[in-house]
Amino acid sequence: KSFNLQPINQNFIKMARLFKPLFILCLLMIPAFACSPGKRENVDLKKVAQEMEALLMKNMMPVWYLRVIDKEYGGYLSNFNYKWEMTGNQNKMIVTQGRHLWMCSKMSAFTKDQVYLEYARHGFLFLRDFMWDKEFGGFFNLVTREGRPIGENEGQIAKNAYGNAFGIYGLAAYYKESKDEEALDLAKKAFAWLEKGSHDPVYGGYFQFLNQDGSPVKSGVRGIPPKDQNSSIHLMEALTELYHVWPDELLRERLNEMFLLIRDVLVKDKGYLQLYVNEDLSPVSYQDSAKEVHQKSYFLDHMSFGHDVETAYLLMEAAEALGLSEDKKTMEVGKRMVDNAMVNGWDNSSAGVYDAGYRYKNEQSVTILRDTKNWWAQSETLNTLLIMSELYPNDPLNYRKRFFDQWKFIKDYLIDWEYGDWYSGSLDKEPHAREGTKSNIWKGNYHTGRTLMNCITRINAMTSKK
């Protein structure tokens, strides 16, 4: 059939003239809604959370578990090359074993998948049966794959506070998910063992190096001072985890002690951690030494930007456990540490924080001593930047943009999209890391796994409010 369209066209023209102003207004408003910074950022954050979840569940967890589960001797295997092939002697360190126990426990809660709780119990049994010293107490630092302690006669220190902290850390997380009282009892025993020997009742804090019987080596070991920021922040981290499941009065006292020691003593005025201190907490500093002298021992005194951004987060976590989540001084100190890392340790060309810097006396700028970017520091930076972006959305340092830049940097230079997981160092600085080890006693998945779980959870909470 044929139709006469003339009346329809005339009516359409009349209607178009009548509603033309409204139509134009709507057209003008569409870009405003579509390009709203808040809405666009919300979409971007959701996309990041989806990418992170895919990375965690498809790229990382499948290459770690079941692969690292040692079905023959118990615990978790240690050494794998870049293709995830087993290498080396598979010695087991309490730090890595405790971190795997923590990770499997947290993944059980995050995914609601009971298989991770089975992996966690597997690790708990190795800590209980082989890592724990049944004669003197405390966790051995290093054992063979079969579980034989490697002590001082093999050139190693038998025990230390740092390692025992991660034993406690993993046990507390496992108890929270399993309600296995035996795990909590072992965590309590480890805390009591540290209290007896490692804790310093005179000056505060904990001695890092310990003899097999738990007595402290107060002089330090091989030129390394007896107390340090690294063992201190992780002791605080472990005590925080334990306090969540065991609100003991003495435990709270020690947690508060470490919280104040780190925040008020170890963090320097410029916003970075004092790496090593003597027994009386006096700093080990090379500020008054010549550059040549400092550079020979720079590892004892420098800015560790990764530790600084991580500590800002750990201080906030401890403050929350102590009921001080809105404490102004803690927030100020944490922000100062992050800002120092962003101003002095951030790579403005491609993102990421450098491994080490130093401010020499009478020099205005910080000298970068190591421009490499190891995997754990980049992971911790990502986590802390997201927190700071929510706390200080209008800060001139623009933490949110840096968070997005850091995520892109990690995807471009740190994730192995072929074989899985993270390289040990970013490829922009260390291209040889592409064929480096994926797992060893110092490289696990606790930093990266924690960051991804934290960021996914935080982004989901942030975007659900908007």
Side-chain angles (χ1 to χ4, degrees), residues 73 121-134 139-140 146-147 182 186:
Y73 295 105
R121 177 163 178 78
H122 179 85
F124 159 63
L125 293 176
F126 192 78
L127 261 66
R128 182 195 69 182
D129 298 339
F130 294 98
M131 299 298 303
W132 182 258
D133 185 344
K134 294 177 177 61
F139 289 109
F140 290 110
E146 299 80 7
E182 195 176 8
L186 187 54

Side-chain angles (χ1 to χ4, degrees), residues 432-445:
H432 59 274
R434 191 185 300 276
E435 296 184 0
T437 59
K438 282 290 172 51
S439 172
N440 55 55
I441 59 172
W442 284 110
K443 186 178 185 295
N445 56 22

Side-chain angles (χ1 to χ4, degrees), residues 69-308:
I69 304 296
D70 189 346
K71 296 179 180 179
E72 187 173 358
Y73 295 105
Y76 308 100
L77 295 166
S78 304
N79 300 312
F80 293 86
N81 66 16
Y82 74 101
K83 293 182 179 179
W84 285 99
E85 300 165 333
M86 277 182 62
T87 60
N89 55 26
Q90 301 301 327
N91 287 342
K92 295 166 182 172
M93 184 169 66
I94 182 59
V95 174
T96 331
Q97 299 298 305
R99 287 174 171 179
H100 274 302
L101 174 56
W102 182 91
M103 185 63 186
C104 289
S105 301
K106 293 296 182 181
M107 281 298 295
S108 172
F110 185 76
T111 64
K112 311 302 181 188
D113 188 341
Q114 286 296 298
V115 71
Y116 287 106
L117 202 57
E118 295 173 16
Y119 300 157
R121 177 163 178 78
H122 179 85
F124 159 63
L125 293 176
F126 192 78
L127 261 66
R128 182 195 69 182
D129 298 339
F130 294 98
M131 299 298 303
W132 182 258
D133 185 344
K134 294 177 177 61
E135 182 179 0
F136 294 103
F139 289 109
F140 290 110
N141 183 50
L142 196 66
V143 300
T144 63
R145 179 181 177 183
E146 299 80 7
R148 181 180 63 83
I150 298 174
E152 291 192 55
N153 60 332
E154 286 93 352
Q156 302 287 335
I157 294 298
K159 297 170 185 172
N160 57 57
Y162 181 93
N164 276 267
F166 278 104
I168 293 171
Y169 189 60
L171 289 167
Y174 174 61
Y175 170 74
K176 184 177 181 181
E177 301 309 318
S178 68
K179 298 300 182 285
D180 185 338
E181 292 292 337
E182 195 176 8
L184 180 59
D185 287 344
L186 187 54
K188 291 178 181 179
K189 285 171 66 176
F191 171 69
W193 187 81
L194 285 173
E195 177 68 20
K196 182 180 178 182
S198 176
H199 179 254
D200 185 350
V202 179
Y203 296 105
Y206 290 80
F207 291 102
Q208 159 67 344
F209 303 110
L210 308 169
N211 295 307
Q212 187 172 351
D213 65 0
S215 58
V217 183
K218 295 186 177 181
S219 60
V221 172
R222 293 188 288 273
I224 301 176
K227 297 177 183 177
D228 63 90
Q229 59 83 21
N230 200 21
S231 61
S232 295
I233 66 172
H234 292 301
L235 279 159
M236 178 180 70
E237 172 186 37
L239 299 182
T240 300
E241 192 78 24
L242 183 58
Y243 189 68
H244 281 304
V245 297
W246 181 47
D248 176 75
E249 186 176 342
L250 178 61
L251 174 59
R252 180 184 175 85
E253 187 178 325
R254 291 292 172 263
L255 173 57
N256 188 61
E257 177 183 324
M258 295 308 295
F259 169 71
L260 294 176
L261 171 65
I262 293 164
R263 189 192 70 179
D264 299 345
V265 178
L266 295 185
V267 178
K268 299 171 76 80
D269 291 342
K270 294 290 186 180
Y272 59 95
L273 285 159
Q274 174 67 48
L275 298 190
Y276 290 92
V277 293
N278 297 304
E279 178 182 354
D280 63 358
L281 304 181
S282 59
V284 175
S285 173
Y286 285 80
Q287 272 289 302
D288 294 325
S289 303
K291 279 188 179 182
E292 296 75 17
V293 175
H294 170 259
Q295 287 168 359
K296 289 179 182 178
S297 302
Y298 88 93
F299 65 93
L300 292 174
D301 184 24
H302 64 264
M303 294 180 187
S304 177
F305 302 112
H307 283 115
D308 293 339

Side-chain angles (χ1 to χ4, degrees), residues 28 67 147 194 224 339 343 382 463:
L28 292 172
R67 183 178 272 105
L194 285 173
I224 301 176
D339 289 358
V343 172
L382 188 70
T463 55

